[in-house]
């Protein structure tokens, strides 16, 4: 579903419009849905390079995608990595993201004797004031802060960034990247990548932003603990708008499901209550997120009257997206393909509306992509690129930067046999 919010008041057109992207969280499946959307945009939008925008904002799983784009890793390369098409080098292994947080478990179990002895001392010294139920309350501190170990997230991203020719330092990027997290002790929103917060490794910031309470433990940075950035806001598109951009592309994978519109067996008889507690909780969670986003969109209209916003999200009757387990990695290929096709459908069906908005910023739509009804993520990837070492990846990225700096066609400075991916389409990339 497309949400197009035109700027109420347009400033004077710039020679080079500024474009940003904001990517919300949504767990593993939300991230895969957004990856499919990014791949569709990468192919269908003409005149913009998603790895060379002016500002990137990522929250939770969306921070993984935003930080990758800012590091020059495009949707094609991300699809190869996360969907298992990457030849050698970095491999995405879902099981590494679902390892039990054994150290957290051990640390909590080690506190049991102290808690029990403390309660027994109180019982002996203040028997009339100490109750048995109080022991249960004290033992609540033994429950781990998270089920899975999220160090694998940071380690994986660090390896990906270094392998693909960039690094793990906000200060080395040639464009703005903001990773949003929340301070556990104060509830304050933190923008990693902003001045004073840009010394933190990107991978560590993303690990903090994706630390969903209950699933992953809080992440300690500079003596402060951080959790998922979506706890305060869903999208944080205002962070991009604060950078004086003319257009924000926004992605949100979680919307409430309208069972009265749903089709197929999973939609049942239009009563979600029949599907049990997990479905009820999912609908509740999605409704809260959507409500917060709608409030945010209204504020953007008044606070940033010169910025256009285009939001991509699932349709209200998207049963496939709603009924897929949000924490499942096994459906990632299916969901990525689903999002890819849904995004192309949205662009095709509403091209008369979105076309003029994008055209304001020098972006067009590629009709040959939109009209290809048989196109899939798998077929769009084409031939497998040759395997690259870390030094050759760094050289490839440096040459790519030089091409854009000089305004040369893609591949002009590229040595034979060093291509990371298929050559860019003529006229489809805007130098920044």
């Amino acid at each position: 579903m497309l949400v197009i919010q035109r700027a109420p008041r347009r400033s004077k057109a710039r020679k080079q419009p500024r474009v940003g992207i904001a990517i919300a969280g949504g767990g593993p499946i939300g991230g895969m849905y957004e990856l499919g959307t990014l791949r569709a945009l990468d192919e269908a939008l003409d005149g913009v390079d998603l790895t060379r925008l002016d500002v990137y904002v990522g929250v939770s799983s969306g921070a993984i995608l935003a930080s990758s784009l800012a590091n020059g890793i495009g949707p094609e390369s991300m699809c190869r990595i996360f969907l298992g098409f990457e030849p050698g080098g970095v491999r995405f292994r879902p099981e590494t993201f679902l390892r039990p947080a054994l150290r957290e478990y051990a640390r909590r179990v080690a506190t049991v004797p102290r808690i029990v002895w403390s309660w027994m001392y109180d019982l002996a010294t203040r028997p009339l004031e100490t109750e048995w139920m109080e022991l249960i309350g004290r033992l609540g501190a033994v429950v781990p802060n998270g089920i899975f170990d999220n160090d694998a997230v940071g380690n994986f991203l660090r390896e990906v960034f270094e392998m693909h020719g960039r690094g793990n330092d906000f200060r080395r990027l040639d464009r703005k990247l903001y990773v949003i997290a929340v301070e556990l002790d104060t509830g304050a929103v933190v923008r990693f990548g902003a001045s004073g917060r840009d010394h933190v490794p990107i991978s560590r910031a993303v690990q903090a932003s994706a630390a969903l309470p209950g699933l992953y433990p809080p992440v300690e940075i500079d003596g402060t603990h951080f959790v998922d950035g979506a706890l305060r806001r869903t999208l944080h598109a205002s962070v991009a708008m604060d950078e004086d951009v003319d257009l924000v592309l926004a992605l949100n994978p979680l919307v409430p499901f309208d069972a009265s519109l749903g089709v197929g067996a999973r939609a049942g008889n239009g009563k979600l209550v029949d599907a049990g507690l997990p479905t009820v909780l999912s609908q509740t969670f999605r409704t809260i997120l959507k409500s917060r986003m709608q409030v945010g969109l209204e504020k953007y209209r008044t606070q940033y009257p010169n910025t256009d916003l285009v939001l991509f999200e699932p349709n209200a009757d998207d049963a496939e997206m709603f009924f897929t387990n949000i924490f499942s990695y096994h459906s990632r290929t299916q969901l990525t393909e689903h999002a890819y096709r849904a995004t192309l459908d949205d662009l095709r069906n509403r091209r008369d509306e979105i076309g003029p908005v994008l055209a304001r910023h020098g972006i067009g739509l590629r009709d040959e992509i939109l009209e290809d009804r048989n196109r899939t993520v798998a077929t769009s990837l084409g031939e497998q690129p040759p395997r690259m070492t870390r030094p050759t990846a760094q050289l490839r990225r440096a040459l790519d930067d030089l091409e854009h700096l000089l305004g040369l066609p893609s591949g002009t400075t590229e040595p034979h046999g060093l291509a990371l991916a298929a050559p860019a389409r003529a006229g489809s990339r805007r130098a920044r």
Side-chain angles (χ1 to χ4, degrees), residues 95 107 144 208 220 246 252 340 371 413:
E95 61 272 14
R107 187 173 69 88
E220 184 178 359
D246 303 290
N252 170 46
Y340 176 84
E371 295 303 330
T413 63

Side-chain angles (χ1 to χ4, degrees), residues 260-282:
S260 67
L261 302 175
V263 295
R266 286 184 292 183
N269 59 2
K271 301 295 184 182
L272 293 180
V273 69
D274 294 337
L277 179 61
T279 297
V280 173
L281 292 178
S282 177

Side-chain angles (χ1 to χ4, degrees), residues 97-102 105 146-151 214-217 327:
F97 287 69
L98 300 175
R99 291 175 179 169
L102 297 180
Y105 298 169
I147 300 174
F148 302 116
D149 183 359
N150 52 3
D151 284 339
L215 189 67
Y216 291 114
F327 298 121

Side-chain angles (χ1 to χ4, degrees), residues 42-56:
D42 185 46
E43 289 208 294
L45 300 187
D46 188 20
V48 64
D49 184 341
L50 295 182
T51 67
R52 294 188 175 277
L53 304 181
D54 295 284
V55 59
Y56 298 83

Side-chain angles (χ1 to χ4, degrees), residues 35-270:
L35 177 56
T37 299
L38 287 173
R39 181 56 182 156
L41 296 178
D42 185 46
E43 289 208 294
L45 300 187
D46 188 20
V48 64
D49 184 341
L50 295 182
T51 67
R52 294 188 175 277
L53 304 181
D54 295 284
V55 59
Y56 298 83
V57 180
V59 184
S60 193
S61 59
I64 297 176
L65 303 177
S67 59
S68 297
L69 290 174
N71 252 292
I73 305 171
E76 178 177 347
S77 294
M78 281 193 277
C79 284
R80 294 186 184 279
I81 294 171
F82 288 106
L83 302 184
F85 296 112
E86 181 77 357
V90 179
R91 291 188 60 190
F92 174 68
R93 296 180 175 85
E95 61 272 14
T96 64
F97 287 69
L98 300 175
R99 291 175 179 169
L102 297 180
R103 286 181 296 178
E104 172 69 7
Y105 298 169
R107 187 173 69 88
R108 293 291 170 173
V109 170
T111 65
V112 172
R114 177 180 56 81
I115 293 174
V116 173
W117 279 110
S118 174
W119 176 82
M120 292 179 65
Y121 175 81
D122 289 343
L123 181 63
T125 57
R126 297 182 290 109
L128 298 180
E129 301 176 18
T130 304
E131 300 178 355
W132 283 97
M133 293 301 297
E134 186 178 337
L135 176 60
I136 298 177
R138 295 188 186 189
L139 288 175
V142 178
V143 179
N145 282 327
I147 300 174
F148 302 116
D149 183 359
N150 52 3
D151 284 339
V153 177
N155 295 336
F156 172 78
L157 286 176
R158 183 177 64 253
E159 186 178 2
V160 169
F161 296 157
E162 293 175 354
M163 180 61 69
H164 283 76
R166 276 301 185 195
N168 203 24
D169 193 330
F170 285 100
R171 297 163 296 189
R172 289 184 56 195
L173 299 178
D174 52 7
R175 49 195 47 81
K176 290 286 188 179
L177 167 65
Y178 296 106
V179 173
I180 311 301
V182 171
E183 286 190 12
L184 179 62
D185 292 331
T186 65
V189 174
V190 172
R191 302 179 181 183
F192 288 109
S195 178
R197 297 281 187 178
D198 54 358
H199 67 286
V200 178
I202 298 173
S203 58
R204 188 69 173 174
V206 174
Q207 182 179 341
S209 179
L212 181 63
L215 189 67
Y216 291 114
V219 175
E220 184 178 359
I221 298 176
D222 296 337
T224 302
H225 289 88
F226 296 89
V227 292
D228 197 307
L231 295 186
R232 285 291 299 270
R233 296 179 189 172
T234 303
L235 189 60
H236 293 272
S238 61
V239 177
M241 295 178 176
D242 285 339
E243 294 294 324
D244 190 30
V245 295
D246 303 290
L247 169 68
V248 172
L249 302 173
L251 281 66
N252 170 46
L254 299 183
V255 298
F257 179 67
D258 189 340
S260 67
L261 302 175
V263 295
R266 286 184 292 183
N269 59 2

